[in-house]
């Protein structure tokens, strides 16, 4: 894990700790510094908002209960900023409750730890999250013959750091998948000459695409169509016109979860080393 952390560039290893617990802040700051990560602190929400306004950090550790605001509100604020979706956000709490953990994930945090934190587990999670964030720009294959919707998707996703490739004919999907190797497929249900639902069923028959996230988008809002997309192996369903923040959050969440699962499958659970199939795949 330490070797992987050193692969993170110094200017991206920048953590803002938002907590009024001075002892915990000193402990966490010292641990980060020992790993070569620059850490600075804000004792409350107001100070944190000012620091973020001057420069958005690459990572944040935020206490749930701050003296002057809610840690959850601060997370939502960071996620709403340009580039905020690429921040690593970990929440902590000294008075843990199950609903706090649920709310932390709902508002956009990447992880949640009880105080006192298990540093080794905390550090491993931090390294994993940073590795995912610093990975190559995520790629989205848009399977849709609606030119206006494609333009809208590009306008929303490309400024957020996504690479987009369009495919307007079902017969070209397999070729585009092999050439582009997308992290997610955004697919219309209604396509010329074929159904997006049938395409999804076909993809799920292939081991190479069995876990590839597929998000359906369509003008059809009928519940039976929604059910069919899930049965076909779709991961989510959006109705046109898709609201910008919903499109961004859905795609980001699906890609992040897919990468987390892929990373776990590629590594031995005990040692953390790459498995033989993962090594061969990377060599290839």
């Amino acid at each position: 894990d330490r070797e992987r952390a050193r692969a993170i560039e110094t200017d991206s290893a920048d953590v803002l700790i938002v907590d009024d617990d001075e002892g915990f802040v000193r402990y966490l700051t010292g641990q980060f510094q020992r790993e070569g990560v620059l850490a600075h602190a804000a004792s409350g929400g107001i100070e944190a908002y000012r620091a973020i306004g001057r420069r958005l950090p690459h990572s944040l550790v935020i206490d749930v209960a701050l003296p002057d605001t809610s840690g959850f509100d601060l997370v939502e604020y960071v996620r709403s900023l340009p580039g905020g979706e690429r921040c690593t956000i970990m929440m902590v709490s000294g008075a843990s409750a199950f609903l706090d953990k649920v709310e932390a994930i709902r508002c956009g945090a990447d992880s949640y730890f009880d105080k006192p934190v298990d540093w080794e587990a905390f550090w491993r999670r931090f390294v994993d999250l940073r590795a995912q964030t610093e990975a190559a720009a995520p790629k989205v294959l848009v399977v849709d013959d609606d030119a206006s919707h494609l333009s809208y998707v590009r306008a929303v996703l490309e400024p957020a750091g996504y690479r987009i490739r369009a495919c307007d004919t079902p017969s070209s999907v397999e070729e585009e998948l092999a050439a582009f190797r997308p992290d997610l497929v955004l697919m219309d249900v209604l396509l010329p000459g074929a159904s997006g639902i049938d395409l999804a069923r076909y993809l799920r028959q292939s081991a190479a695409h069995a876990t590839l996230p597929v998000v359906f988008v369509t003008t059809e809002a009928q519940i039976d169509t929604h059910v069919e997309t899930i049965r076909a192996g779709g991961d989510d369903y959006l109705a046109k016109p898709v609201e910008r923040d919903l499109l961004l959050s859905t795609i980001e969440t699906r890609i992040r979860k897919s990468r987390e699962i892929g990373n776990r499958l590629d590594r031995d659970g005990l040692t953390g080393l790459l498995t033989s199939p993962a090594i061969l795949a990377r060599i290839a």
Side-chain angles (χ1 to χ4, degrees):
D1 288 333
R2 285 180 172 81
E3 290 302 322
R4 293 174 63 201
R6 292 190 183 103
I8 301 173
E9 294 183 7
T10 303
D11 63 356
S12 71
D14 166 31
V15 182
L16 174 63
I17 304 169
V18 187
D19 199 321
D20 63 335
D21 183 341
E22 294 182 0
F24 177 73
V25 170
R26 281 197 301 271
Y27 168 76
L28 209 59
T29 299
Q31 294 288 61
F32 273 122
Q33 288 177 344
R34 273 189 282 275
E35 301 292 352
V37 177
L38 176 64
H40 48 113
S43 60
I46 294 175
E47 189 177 345
Y49 282 117
R50 289 173 180 167
I52 293 168
R54 291 191 296 269
R55 178 181 176 278
L56 182 64
H58 288 77
S59 305
L60 294 101
V61 178
I62 303 174
D63 196 299
V64 168
L66 298 173
D68 51 1
T69 190
S70 162
F72 302 127
D73 291 342
L74 181 57
V75 173
E76 290 184 336
Y77 169 72
V78 172
R79 291 303 190 208
S80 71
L81 297 174
E85 73 281 350
R86 292 186 61 78
C87 286
T88 296
I89 303 180
M90 305 175 75
M91 298 200 80
V92 295
S93 176
S96 179
F98 175 74
L99 291 181
D100 285 341
K101 299 177 182 180
V102 174
E103 180 63 16
I105 303 304
R106 187 206 65 78
C107 71
D110 297 301
S111 194
Y112 181 103
F113 282 83
D114 294 323
K115 291 181 179 178
V117 300
D118 177 340
W119 173 251
E120 290 298 327
F122 189 91
W123 177 245
R124 284 196 300 271
R125 182 61 175 152
F126 176 82
V127 171
D128 285 341
L129 290 169
R130 288 308 309 160
Q132 292 171 30
T133 302
E134 298 297 329
K139 297 181 288 186
V140 176
L141 177 65
V142 184
V143 184
D144 199 328
D145 64 333
D146 183 341
S148 62
H149 182 253
L150 174 60
S151 297
Y152 172 72
V153 170
R154 286 190 185 278
V156 172
L157 297 184
E158 287 184 339
Y162 293 89
R163 292 177 57 193
I164 306 299
R165 181 176 291 195
C167 176
D168 60 4
T169 55
S171 60
S172 302
V173 168
E174 193 167 32
E175 180 182 343
E176 294 291 352
L177 287 170
F180 190 50
R181 301 179 63 85
D183 296 289
L184 179 142
V185 176
L186 185 67
M187 181 149 50
D188 198 343
V189 171
L190 301 176
L191 295 167
S195 162
I197 293 174
D198 290 336
L199 280 178
R201 288 196 182 103
Y202 173 75
L203 292 181
R204 293 305 186 222
Q205 301 305 311
S206 167
H209 308 308
T211 59
L212 176 66
V214 176
V215 175
F216 284 102
V217 59
T218 183
T219 54
E220 293 187 5
Q222 292 91 343
I223 188 63
D224 56 343
T225 302
H226 190 176
V227 170
E228 281 301 307
T229 62
I230 301 302
R231 286 176 176 170
D235 296 283
D236 222 321
Y237 179 98
L238 301 172
K240 294 180 182 179
V242 186
E243 196 271 329
R244 174 187 177 276
D245 290 342
L246 178 60
L247 178 61
L248 280 171
S249 62
T250 299
I251 289 178
E252 179 203 356
T253 300
R254 292 300 176 186
I255 291 178
R256 177 169 295 189
K257 291 298 182 184
S258 176
R259 285 183 171 181
E260 286 180 3
I261 293 171
N263 186 55
R264 291 174 185 174
L265 292 175
D266 284 349
R267 293 184 179 275
D268 179 84
L270 179 62
T271 66
L273 299 175
L274 289 173
T275 61
S276 295
I279 291 172
L280 294 174
R282 296 195 183 196
I283 290 172

